[in-house]
Amino acid sequence: MSKEGKELMDFAAQRAHNWTQAPYDEATQSEVRTLLEEGGEALVEAFYTDLEFGTGGLRGLMGAGTNRMNAYTVAQATQGLANYMLDVVPSGASIAIAHDSRNNSPAFARVAAEVMAGNGIEVHLFPALRPTPQLSFTVREFGCTAGIVVTASHNPKEYNGYKVYWSDGGQIVPPHDKGIIERVRAVSGPAEVQWGQDAASQARIHLLDDQADQAYWKTVLDLRLSEDLISNGSDLSIVYTPLHGTGSVSVIPALDAAGFRNVHIVESQRHPDGNFPTVHSPNPEEGAALSEAIELAKTVNAQLVLGTDPDSDRVGIAVPDAQSDGGWRLLNGNETGALLVDYVVSQRAQKDLLASGDFVAKTIVTSDLMADIGRYAGLDVHETLTGFKWIADAIRREEGKGRFVAGGEESYGYMIGDEVRDKDAVAAACVLCELAHVAHADGSDLLGRLEAIHRTHGAYKEALVSQTKQGRAGKAEIAAQMEGFLTSPPADLAGERVIEVRDYAAQRATDVRDGSTRTLDLPASNVVQLVTDQNTLVTARPSGTEPKIKFYFSVRMAVDNWPNGDYSQAMGALESRIAQLKQEMGVVA
């Protein structure tokens, strides 16, 4: 072992010894003693640092240790959040708290509730699992100062975390994010936590009832635009899987209330289970997660397959396609987002429900097709950093000037209307089913609708490659990759000249042809984009919540340039171009 390695091991062991005595509970003490006895990298990773409370909250592996999700790291983070809330709202502060289906989520939510109550803050706690978008809605509905949802979104079963929301229902953004982080870091240990287990504190915890559910579902039902669906319902055959998550208590009843009478649930994945026993990862971005749903769809002649992640903020879909292996095609997040935005915008335009200042929103790594659709309808377009908190921030900034109509991001998150201020798979699932119903009635389907969009705005194709790099060494490797893109960007990509390098951390775009620069009018973020003379866009972005670096590829082709005017040939050419880009960037999945 190197000198540096030994010093790190000694540091981790010293911190771990503190966890083998009170106030830590006996189960935690026992787990840490085992780590100390075994030593090695597991001990170092659990204690070499504190689990970082980032701009979105907490996320990490569950287990004992300062760098793990457990009752103590949750309590300390919650104490820091409570301190900040009381700085901003010295009296009358309140918070809403929800949790998903993950292991330990109910316990972590209870810890957060008790700590908040121990600090004199009124708590509105959901008595059982609820989806993330409902938490966002409830924060605004109850006029809360803040909100917490305990979830690790679509991560594997070993993870948990929590997201923090402010009074507008959106995840925290400046200045609150930095203020909360400072307060969380200032909490040095469990002795500084107001644990809130006394009777007076417990009385401040109010369990929410069915009225909270009904209020949220009403906002989902109010999004319906098809008069036929509203009046007559739908018999379209649909398959849905909640992937062992909160969709079981939200998407299923919402689809029923919206009038979809022929929805087939994947029974093996209906019930909440934090072990996610039927999938490697409960992530609807991955085709394997929808495999059981697709098999069921083949037997019931379904026209649409949907799956949501454990906290029901992301939705993935598949549609029948005779040209695809197995007869079904998975749509990526950009394709689904374009379909949703196009449907909502066109329907609202037909019903004269759009007004000056209304806008759509997308992130910098999301297809420009969504922006094209919005501008074509005469709407404003807001482009934000990655993450729905920035779209929520745009909605807050535009209140009184224009309303958010629809938008999304490539990572399977979508939002319609502004009642919820985070991506909402419950509402998106209902609107996608409505779109499938309307398309079917018109003698078309979702692929037909997508082709029509491309024929109007040009063909688009996107792809994403994620590289996982665990631990301290992984962080260093990711940092080196990002530095390389800035200091030594490629001159050409797929036969196209690179003309601009966008450094979002420095908030500067550089034209490599003449060295001129322009300001990127967005908050600083660790993102690098390469732009070619054919409007191809390649983006590198380390994940803020996972040990990954993500590469986004976006290519396009104007209708006039389609080979022989043929749609399938155009899409094939774009697919080949993306494959070449991946190869040249050295990030082939």
Side-chain angles (χ1 to χ4, degrees):
M1 181 183 295
S2 67
K3 179 181 178 181
E4 180 184 351
K6 185 178 186 307
E7 289 176 351
L8 196 59
M9 179 69 74
D10 291 344
F11 174 73
Q14 181 181 8
R15 301 186 90 194
H17 277 295
N18 295 331
W19 284 55
T20 62
Q21 52 196 324
Y24 299 98
D25 63 85
E26 184 55 41
T28 297
Q29 293 181 37
S30 177
E31 185 177 344
V32 174
R33 289 191 193 101
T34 300
L35 283 172
L36 283 165
E37 291 169 3
E38 295 176 351
E41 192 67 15
L43 172 64
V44 173
E45 290 290 344
F47 282 98
Y48 87 95
T49 189
D50 293 335
L51 183 64
E52 182 178 3
F53 190 99
T55 55
L58 288 174
R59 187 173 298 181
L61 291 165
M62 288 182 281
T66 59
N67 191 34
R68 295 288 183 260
M69 277 292 297
N70 51 65
Y72 300 98
T73 53
V74 167
Q76 289 175 215
T78 305
Q79 181 63 54
L81 174 58
N83 292 341
Y84 181 80
M85 291 171 61
L86 294 173
D87 289 343
V88 178
V89 184
S91 63
S94 63
I95 192 166
I97 300 177
H99 68 82
D100 70 1
S101 62
R102 288 179 177 273
N103 295 329
N104 295 317
S105 282
F108 291 163
R110 187 71 197 186
V111 167
E114 291 180 348
V115 171
M116 284 291 170
N119 283 273
I121 295 170
E122 296 296 319
V123 179
H124 301 284
L125 177 66
F126 281 100
L129 74 168
R130 291 296 189 277
T132 286
Q134 186 170 353
L135 182 280
S136 170
F137 171 81
T138 300
V139 167
R140 298 180 69 239
E141 178 77 359
F142 281 75
C144 295
T145 311
I148 294 171
V149 59
V150 178
T151 178
S153 190
H154 57 289
N155 285 79
K157 64 181 181 181
E158 295 82 6
Y159 286 80
N160 214 322
Y162 77 43
K163 304 174 186 177
V164 179
Y165 294 75
W166 202 243
S167 56
D168 65 336
Q171 292 189 54
I172 52 174
V173 296
H176 300 301
D177 55 356
K178 291 180 174 58
I180 293 169
I181 290 169
E182 289 174 1
R183 285 303 234 150
V184 169
R185 289 175 177 170
V187 178
S188 62
E192 297 184 25
V193 174
Q194 301 294 323
W195 288 91
Q197 296 175 339
D198 58 284
S201 296
Q202 294 291 316
R204 297 190 189 99
I205 300 175
H206 314 288
L207 295 182
L208 293 169
D209 57 23
D210 288 346
Q211 289 185 346
D213 296 329
Q214 297 300 326
Y216 169 64
W217 286 337
K218 181 181 184 301
T219 69
V220 174
L221 295 181
D222 286 346
L223 296 174
R224 289 178 296 178
L225 293 163
S226 167
E227 296 297 335
D228 177 58
L229 176 65
I230 295 171
S231 299
N232 304 312
S234 175
D235 289 316
L236 190 73
S237 182
I238 297 164
V239 168
Y240 169 68
T241 172
L243 294 175
H244 308 288
T246 58
S248 60
V249 299
S250 57
V251 178
I252 292 175
L255 288 174
D256 180 67
F260 297 99
R261 295 183 291 262
N262 195 13
V263 179
H264 306 268
I265 310 301
V266 180
E267 291 299 330
S268 62
Q269 299 171 338
R270 176 193 286 265
H271 300 293
D273 188 335
N275 292 315
F276 309 116
T278 65
V279 291
H280 171 70
S281 177
N283 185 356
E285 296 182 56
E286 300 174 4
L290 297 184
S291 60
E292 289 197 24
I294 290 173
E295 289 305 309
L296 174 60
K298 293 176 181 177
T299 67
V300 297
N301 194 31
Q303 298 301 303
L304 179 64
V305 162
L306 307 100
T308 54
D309 64 348
D311 66 322
S312 297
D313 63 353
R314 301 170 191 251
V315 57
I317 69 173
V319 295
D321 180 17
Q323 305 303 315
S324 297
D325 291 341
W328 280 77
R329 175 179 159 187
L330 298 162
L331 271 62
N332 66 38
N334 286 297
E335 292 168 331
T336 303
L339 284 165
L340 271 173
V341 171
D342 180 73
Y343 177 72
V344 174
V345 167
S346 62
Q347 288 292 306
R348 291 185 68 83
Q350 289 179 21
K351 296 175 182 295
D352 198 25
L353 297 174
L354 299 177
S356 175
D358 287 358
F359 66 98
V360 301
K362 61 175 284 293
T363 72
I364 58 174
V365 299
T366 302
S367 174
D368 284 336
L369 181 54
M370 291 188 202
D372 291 347
I373 292 167
R375 292 191 184 100
Y376 186 79
L379 299 176
D380 293 340
V381 175
H382 289 265
E383 187 172 66
T384 73
L385 293 176
T386 307
F388 253 77
K389 66 181 182 179
W390 298 111
I391 294 179
D393 187 52
I395 295 172
R396 179 182 61 82
R397 292 174 182 274
E398 293 300 311
E399 282 181 326
K401 294 179 285 185
R403 292 198 65 179
F404 171 79
V405 178
E409 59 183 5
E410 52 70 40
S411 57
Y412 293 61
Y414 320 102
M415 190 161 65
I416 304 105
D418 61 2
E419 293 293 339
V420 172
R421 301 295 174 89
D422 202 357
K423 49 188 177 289
D424 186 350
V426 184
C430 289
V431 175
L432 284 166
C433 289
E434 177 177 334
L435 170 55
H437 167 81
V438 171
H440 185 72
D442 291 341
S444 184
D445 55 22
L446 295 191
L447 291 181
R449 295 285 295 230
L450 186 60
E451 180 177 342
I453 292 170
H454 284 158
R455 289 191 177 277
T456 301
H457 304 287
Y460 277 80
K461 190 73 176 178
E462 289 82 22
L464 167 67
V465 176
S466 294
Q467 294 182 337
T468 300
K469 300 178 184 293
Q470 297 281 5
R472 292 169 288 120
K475 287 183 179 180
E477 188 176 346
I478 289 173
Q481 284 179 289
M482 295 296 290
E483 180 66 20
F485 295 135
L486 286 173
T487 59
S488 303
D492 298 279
L493 286 171
E496 303 171 14
R497 184 182 179 188
V498 175
I499 61 171
E500 187 175 65
V501 177
R502 298 173 184 169
D503 179 358
Y504 285 89
Q507 298 171 295
R508 181 180 62 248
T510 302
D511 189 321
V512 299
R513 296 167 295 188
D514 59 15
S516 62
T517 63
R518 63 182 177 90
T519 300
L520 296 172
D521 190 21
L522 287 172
S525 183
N526 189 17
V527 179
V528 176
Q529 286 186 325
L530 308 175
V531 186
T532 77
D533 56 2
Q534 300 299 312
N535 290 319
T536 289
L537 191 64
V538 177
T539 307
R541 183 184 74 89
S543 172
T545 56
E546 304 169 81
K548 291 181 178 180
I549 181 170
K550 297 183 177 182
F551 298 91
Y552 306 81
F553 303 89
S554 179
V555 294
R556 65 187 74 176
M557 184 183 296
V559 176
D560 290 344
N561 295 330
W562 290 6
N564 303 312
D566 185 86
Y567 177 62
S568 61
Q569 289 188 47
M571 297 305 290
L574 293 179
E575 186 72 41
S576 296
R577 196 188 304 174
I578 285 179
Q580 187 176 352
L581 288 168
K582 292 179 182 178
Q583 186 71 38
E584 293 183 8
M585 294 288 292
V587 294
V588 177

